[in-house]
Amino acid sequence: MVTHRSARPSWLAWDNYFVGVGGLVLGLCFGTCAALIAGPGRNLAAIVLVVLAGLCVLPALVRAVIELSVWVRLAVLVLGFAILLPAIVVSPDVRDWAAERWQQAWK
């Protein structure tokens, strides 16, 4: 018997937006509860709730940072292409340098 796996991630996958939004909502709820109960004699409970809020928000925060890094890399790539393209067209030395870099990238 052959089992087939779906290429589609489950709704509990690390990169699912629902998980991120749910984590943000839970983090907001725990953070609000921590702020409401903080006071003399209840600081430990407030600290525990703040830690729980941080743990809930962490997956969404990691996802946001990863996506921002992808956009930053894409912007750097486009900017580098826009700057180097005229130099590649005009200068044979830059063409040789670019050809060497291209060949090294595929090794």
Side-chain angles (χ1 to χ4, degrees):
M1 176 179 226
V2 177
T3 59
H4 297 284
R5 286 190 171 173
S6 173
R8 184 176 173 202
S10 74
W11 68 277
L12 285 175
W14 174 261
D15 62 346
N16 194 318
Y17 287 105
F18 179 74
V19 173
V21 171
L24 290 176
V25 169
L26 282 173
L28 178 66
C29 291
F30 284 135
T32 303
C33 289
L36 291 174
I37 69 165
R42 292 184 257 162
N43 286 335
L44 181 62
I47 291 171
V48 169
L49 285 174
V50 167
V51 169
L52 283 174
L55 290 175
C56 290
V57 171
L58 189 62
L61 184 65
V62 168
R63 169 119 178 136
V65 168
I66 290 171
E67 286 197 14
L68 286 176
S69 71
V70 169
W71 283 105
V72 167
R73 289 179 191 174
L74 185 62
V76 167
L77 180 71
V78 169
L79 184 64
F81 178 75
I83 291 172
L84 282 178
L85 185 63
I88 290 172
V89 170
V90 174
S91 172
D93 292 334
V94 175
R95 274 195 301 270
D96 291 341
W97 173 81
E100 289 173 10
R101 297 283 296 181
W102 182 261
Q103 289 174 353
Q104 289 175 0
W106 290 102
K107 285 185 180 180

PDB file of all heavy atoms in Angstrom, residues 60-81:
ATOM      1  N   ALA A  60       4.887  34.391  15.657  1.00  0.00           N
ATOM      2  CA  ALA A  60       4.509  35.465  14.734  1.00  0.00           C
ATOM      3  C   ALA A  60       5.661  36.441  14.538  1.00  0.00           C
ATOM      4  O   ALA A  60       5.898  36.924  13.425  1.00  0.00           O
ATOM      5  CB  ALA A  60       3.273  36.197  15.258  1.00  0.00           C
ATOM      6  N   LEU A  61       6.400  36.710  15.591  1.00  0.00           N
ATOM      7  CA  LEU A  61       7.551  37.609  15.496  1.00  0.00           C
ATOM      8  C   LEU A  61       8.643  37.020  14.615  1.00  0.00           C
ATOM      9  O   LEU A  61       9.213  37.706  13.762  1.00  0.00           O
ATOM     10  CB  LEU A  61       8.087  37.906  16.891  1.00  0.00           C
ATOM     11  CG  LEU A  61       9.228  38.892  16.997  1.00  0.00           C
ATOM     12  CD1 LEU A  61       8.771  40.267  16.546  1.00  0.00           C
ATOM     13  CD2 LEU A  61       9.747  38.945  18.403  1.00  0.00           C
ATOM     14  N   VAL A  62       8.918  35.735  14.787  1.00  0.00           N
ATOM     15  CA  VAL A  62       9.932  35.070  13.962  1.00  0.00           C
ATOM     16  C   VAL A  62       9.506  35.085  12.498  1.00  0.00           C
ATOM     17  O   VAL A  62      10.301  35.369  11.604  1.00  0.00           O
ATOM     18  CB  VAL A  62      10.164  33.623  14.458  1.00  0.00           C
ATOM     19  CG1 VAL A  62      10.986  32.822  13.464  1.00  0.00           C
ATOM     20  CG2 VAL A  62      10.839  33.640  15.812  1.00  0.00           C
ATOM     21  N   ARG A  63       8.250  34.804  12.236  1.00  0.00           N
ATOM     22  CA  ARG A  63       7.732  34.829  10.851  1.00  0.00           C
ATOM     23  C   ARG A  63       7.870  36.209  10.242  1.00  0.00           C
ATOM     24  O   ARG A  63       8.289  36.344   9.090  1.00  0.00           O
ATOM     25  CB  ARG A  63       6.278  34.387  10.849  1.00  0.00           C
ATOM     26  CG  ARG A  63       5.582  34.632   9.547  1.00  0.00           C
ATOM     27  CD  ARG A  63       5.111  33.376   8.947  1.00  0.00           C
ATOM     28  NE  ARG A  63       4.406  33.695   7.712  1.00  0.00           N
ATOM     29  CZ  ARG A  63       4.591  33.024   6.624  1.00  0.00           C
ATOM     30  NH1 ARG A  63       5.411  32.021   6.617  1.00  0.00           N
ATOM     31  NH2 ARG A  63       3.940  33.331   5.528  1.00  0.00           N
ATOM     32  N   ALA A  64       7.547  37.241  10.989  1.00  0.00           N
ATOM     33  CA  ALA A  64       7.652  38.611  10.467  1.00  0.00           C
ATOM     34  C   ALA A  64       9.098  38.974  10.154  1.00  0.00           C
ATOM     35  O   ALA A  64       9.389  39.559   9.111  1.00  0.00           O
ATOM     36  CB  ALA A  64       7.058  39.593  11.474  1.00  0.00           C
ATOM     37  N   VAL A  65      10.010  38.613  11.029  1.00  0.00           N
ATOM     38  CA  VAL A  65      11.433  38.918  10.795  1.00  0.00           C
ATOM     39  C   VAL A  65      11.947  38.172   9.573  1.00  0.00           C
ATOM     40  O   VAL A  65      12.675  38.740   8.748  1.00  0.00           O
ATOM     41  CB  VAL A  65      12.266  38.577  12.055  1.00  0.00           C
ATOM     42  CG1 VAL A  65      13.752  38.605  11.757  1.00  0.00           C
ATOM     43  CG2 VAL A  65      11.929  39.540  13.174  1.00  0.00           C
ATOM     44  N   ILE A  66      11.560  36.916   9.415  1.00  0.00           N
ATOM     45  CA  ILE A  66      11.995  36.137   8.255  1.00  0.00           C
ATOM     46  C   ILE A  66      11.457  36.742   6.969  1.00  0.00           C
ATOM     47  O   ILE A  66      12.179  36.883   5.978  1.00  0.00           O
ATOM     48  CB  ILE A  66      11.573  34.665   8.405  1.00  0.00           C
ATOM     49  CG1 ILE A  66      12.392  34.002   9.509  1.00  0.00           C
ATOM     50  CG2 ILE A  66      11.733  33.909   7.095  1.00  0.00           C
ATOM     51  CD1 ILE A  66      11.917  32.621   9.881  1.00  0.00           C
ATOM     52  N   GLU A  67      10.191  37.134   6.962  1.00  0.00           N
ATOM     53  CA  GLU A  67       9.627  37.720   5.753  1.00  0.00           C
ATOM     54  C   GLU A  67      10.255  39.066   5.443  1.00  0.00           C
ATOM     55  O   GLU A  67      10.496  39.388   4.282  1.00  0.00           O
ATOM     56  CB  GLU A  67       8.111  37.839   5.887  1.00  0.00           C
ATOM     57  CG  GLU A  67       7.433  36.510   5.770  1.00  0.00           C
ATOM     58  CD  GLU A  67       5.959  36.624   5.501  1.00  0.00           C
ATOM     59  OE1 GLU A  67       5.498  37.717   5.139  1.00  0.00           O
ATOM     60  OE2 GLU A  67       5.273  35.604   5.640  1.00  0.00           O
ATOM     61  N   LEU A  68      10.542  39.856   6.467  1.00  0.00           N
ATOM     62  CA  LEU A  68      11.204  41.129   6.223  1.00  0.00           C
ATOM     63  C   LEU A  68      12.608  40.922   5.668  1.00  0.00           C
ATOM     64  O   LEU A  68      13.049  41.667   4.783  1.00  0.00           O
ATOM     65  CB  LEU A  68      11.260  41.958   7.506  1.00  0.00           C
ATOM     66  CG  LEU A  68       9.943  42.593   7.935  1.00  0.00           C
ATOM     67  CD1 LEU A  68      10.126  43.289   9.277  1.00  0.00           C
ATOM     68  CD2 LEU A  68       9.442  43.575   6.904  1.00  0.00           C
ATOM     69  N   SER A  69      13.308  39.908   6.152  1.00  0.00           N
ATOM     70  CA  SER A  69      14.654  39.662   5.636  1.00  0.00           C
ATOM     71  C   SER A  69      14.605  39.249   4.171  1.00  0.00           C
ATOM     72  O   SER A  69      15.493  39.596   3.400  1.00  0.00           O
ATOM     73  CB  SER A  69      15.369  38.610   6.476  1.00  0.00           C
ATOM     74  OG  SER A  69      14.810  37.334   6.271  1.00  0.00           O
ATOM     75  N   VAL A  70      13.562  38.516   3.774  1.00  0.00           N
ATOM     76  CA  VAL A  70      13.426  38.137   2.367  1.00  0.00           C
ATOM     77  C   VAL A  70      13.205  39.385   1.513  1.00  0.00           C
ATOM     78  O   VAL A  70      13.813  39.536   0.447  1.00  0.00           O
ATOM     79  CB  VAL A  70      12.265  37.130   2.189  1.00  0.00           C
ATOM     80  CG1 VAL A  70      11.933  36.943   0.725  1.00  0.00           C
ATOM     81  CG2 VAL A  70      12.622  35.810   2.826  1.00  0.00           C
ATOM     82  N   TRP A  71      12.354  40.295   1.976  1.00  0.00           N
ATOM     83  CA  TRP A  71      12.106  41.526   1.208  1.00  0.00           C
ATOM     84  C   TRP A  71      13.348  42.404   1.146  1.00  0.00           C
ATOM     85  O   TRP A  71      13.621  43.035   0.121  1.00  0.00           O
ATOM     86  CB  TRP A  71      10.924  42.298   1.796  1.00  0.00           C
ATOM     87  CG  TRP A  71       9.611  41.676   1.428  1.00  0.00           C
ATOM     88  CD1 TRP A  71       8.799  40.942   2.232  1.00  0.00           C
ATOM     89  CD2 TRP A  71       8.992  41.697   0.145  1.00  0.00           C
ATOM     90  NE1 TRP A  71       7.718  40.521   1.536  1.00  0.00           N
ATOM     91  CE2 TRP A  71       7.794  40.969   0.256  1.00  0.00           C
ATOM     92  CE3 TRP A  71       9.326  42.266  -1.075  1.00  0.00           C
ATOM     93  CZ2 TRP A  71       6.942  40.796  -0.830  1.00  0.00           C
ATOM     94  CZ3 TRP A  71       8.461  42.087  -2.150  1.00  0.00           C
ATOM     95  CH2 TRP A  71       7.286  41.363  -2.023  1.00  0.00           C
ATOM     96  N   VAL A  72      14.108  42.442   2.221  1.00  0.00           N
ATOM     97  CA  VAL A  72      15.345  43.232   2.220  1.00  0.00           C
ATOM     98  C   VAL A  72      16.342  42.626   1.236  1.00  0.00           C
ATOM     99  O   VAL A  72      16.989  43.347   0.464  1.00  0.00           O
ATOM    100  CB  VAL A  72      15.936  43.327   3.645  1.00  0.00           C
ATOM    101  CG1 VAL A  72      17.350  43.864   3.617  1.00  0.00           C
ATOM    102  CG2 VAL A  72      15.047  44.188   4.521  1.00  0.00           C
ATOM    103  N   ARG A  73      16.478  41.316   1.227  1.00  0.00           N
ATOM    104  CA  ARG A  73      17.381  40.662   0.275  1.00  0.00           C
ATOM    105  C   ARG A  73      16.954  40.923  -1.160  1.00  0.00           C
ATOM    106  O   ARG A  73      17.791  41.155  -2.029  1.00  0.00           O
ATOM    107  CB  ARG A  73      17.416  39.159   0.521  1.00  0.00           C
ATOM    108  CG  ARG A  73      18.128  38.764   1.768  1.00  0.00           C
ATOM    109  CD  ARG A  73      18.088  37.276   1.948  1.00  0.00           C
ATOM    110  NE  ARG A  73      18.540  36.907   3.276  1.00  0.00           N
ATOM    111  CZ  ARG A  73      18.501  35.698   3.745  1.00  0.00           C
ATOM    112  NH1 ARG A  73      18.032  34.710   3.001  1.00  0.00           N
ATOM    113  NH2 ARG A  73      18.926  35.438   4.958  1.00  0.00           N
ATOM    114  N   LEU A  74      15.658  40.869  -1.412  1.00  0.00           N
ATOM    115  CA  LEU A  74      15.159  41.139  -2.757  1.00  0.00           C
ATOM    116  C   LEU A  74      15.448  42.576  -3.172  1.00  0.00           C
ATOM    117  O   LEU A  74      15.865  42.833  -4.304  1.00  0.00           O
ATOM    118  CB  LEU A  74      13.661  40.848  -2.823  1.00  0.00           C
ATOM    119  CG  LEU A  74      13.006  40.975  -4.190  1.00  0.00           C
ATOM    120  CD1 LEU A  74      13.623  39.977  -5.160  1.00  0.00           C
ATOM    121  CD2 LEU A  74      11.517  40.746  -4.081  1.00  0.00           C
ATOM    122  N   ALA A  75      15.261  43.522  -2.262  1.00  0.00           N
ATOM    123  CA  ALA A  75      15.536  44.927  -2.569  1.00  0.00           C
ATOM    124  C   ALA A  75      17.025  45.143  -2.850  1.00  0.00           C
ATOM    125  O   ALA A  75      17.397  45.869  -3.778  1.00  0.00           O
ATOM    126  CB  ALA A  75      15.078  45.814  -1.413  1.00  0.00           C
ATOM    127  N   VAL A  76      17.891  44.500  -2.065  1.00  0.00           N
ATOM    128  CA  VAL A  76      19.340  44.613  -2.294  1.00  0.00           C
ATOM    129  C   VAL A  76      19.709  44.009  -3.644  1.00  0.00           C
ATOM    130  O   VAL A  76      20.528  44.573  -4.385  1.00  0.00           O
ATOM    131  CB  VAL A  76      20.124  43.940  -1.144  1.00  0.00           C
ATOM    132  CG1 VAL A  76      21.582  43.766  -1.482  1.00  0.00           C
ATOM    133  CG2 VAL A  76      19.956  44.744   0.136  1.00  0.00           C
ATOM    134  N   LEU A  77      19.104  42.895  -3.990  1.00  0.00           N
ATOM    135  CA  LEU A  77      19.369  42.263  -5.273  1.00  0.00           C
ATOM    136  C   LEU A  77      18.958  43.169  -6.435  1.00  0.00           C
ATOM    137  O   LEU A  77      19.721  43.358  -7.390  1.00  0.00           O
ATOM    138  CB  LEU A  77      18.631  40.931  -5.359  1.00  0.00           C
ATOM    139  CG  LEU A  77      18.799  40.132  -6.638  1.00  0.00           C
ATOM    140  CD1 LEU A  77      20.214  39.574  -6.710  1.00  0.00           C
ATOM    141  CD2 LEU A  77      17.787  39.011  -6.695  1.00  0.00           C
ATOM    142  N   VAL A  78      17.776  43.748  -6.362  1.00  0.00           N
ATOM    143  CA  VAL A  78      17.304  44.636  -7.422  1.00  0.00           C
ATOM    144  C   VAL A  78      18.168  45.891  -7.502  1.00  0.00           C
ATOM    145  O   VAL A  78      18.543  46.334  -8.597  1.00  0.00           O
ATOM    146  CB  VAL A  78      15.814  44.997  -7.202  1.00  0.00           C
ATOM    147  CG1 VAL A  78      15.372  46.113  -8.112  1.00  0.00           C
ATOM    148  CG2 VAL A  78      14.960  43.761  -7.399  1.00  0.00           C
ATOM    149  N   LEU A  79      18.518  46.459  -6.361  1.00  0.00           N
ATOM    150  CA  LEU A  79      19.374  47.650  -6.348  1.00  0.00           C
ATOM    151  C   LEU A  79      20.755  47.331  -6.910  1.00  0.00           C
ATOM    152  O   LEU A  79      21.295  48.102  -7.721  1.00  0.00           O
ATOM    153  CB  LEU A  79      19.489  48.187  -4.921  1.00  0.00           C
ATOM    154  CG  LEU A  79      20.264  49.482  -4.749  1.00  0.00           C
ATOM    155  CD1 LEU A  79      19.556  50.614  -5.476  1.00  0.00           C
ATOM    156  CD2 LEU A  79      20.420  49.800  -3.281  1.00  0.00           C
ATOM    157  N   GLY A  80      21.326  46.212  -6.522  1.00  0.00           N
ATOM    158  CA  GLY A  80      22.631  45.818  -7.058  1.00  0.00           C
ATOM    159  C   GLY A  80      22.574  45.601  -8.556  1.00  0.00           C
ATOM    160  O   GLY A  80      23.488  45.989  -9.288  1.00  0.00           O
ATOM    161  N   PHE A  81      21.500  44.983  -9.046  1.00  0.00           N
ATOM    162  CA  PHE A  81      21.346  44.788 -10.481  1.00  0.00           C
ATOM    163  C   PHE A  81      21.246  46.122 -11.207  1.00  0.00           C
ATOM    164  O   PHE A  81      21.888  46.325 -12.243  1.00  0.00           O
ATOM    165  CB  PHE A  81      20.103  43.939 -10.758  1.00  0.00           C
ATOM    166  CG  PHE A  81      19.835  43.722 -12.212  1.00  0.00           C
ATOM    167  CD1 PHE A  81      20.603  42.833 -12.935  1.00  0.00           C
ATOM    168  CD2 PHE A  81      18.816  44.402 -12.849  1.00  0.00           C
ATOM    169  CE1 PHE A  81      20.360  42.624 -14.282  1.00  0.00           C
ATOM    170  CE2 PHE A  81      18.565  44.216 -14.187  1.00  0.00           C
ATOM    171  CZ  PHE A  81      19.336  43.314 -14.912  1.00  0.00           C
TER     172      PHE A  81
END
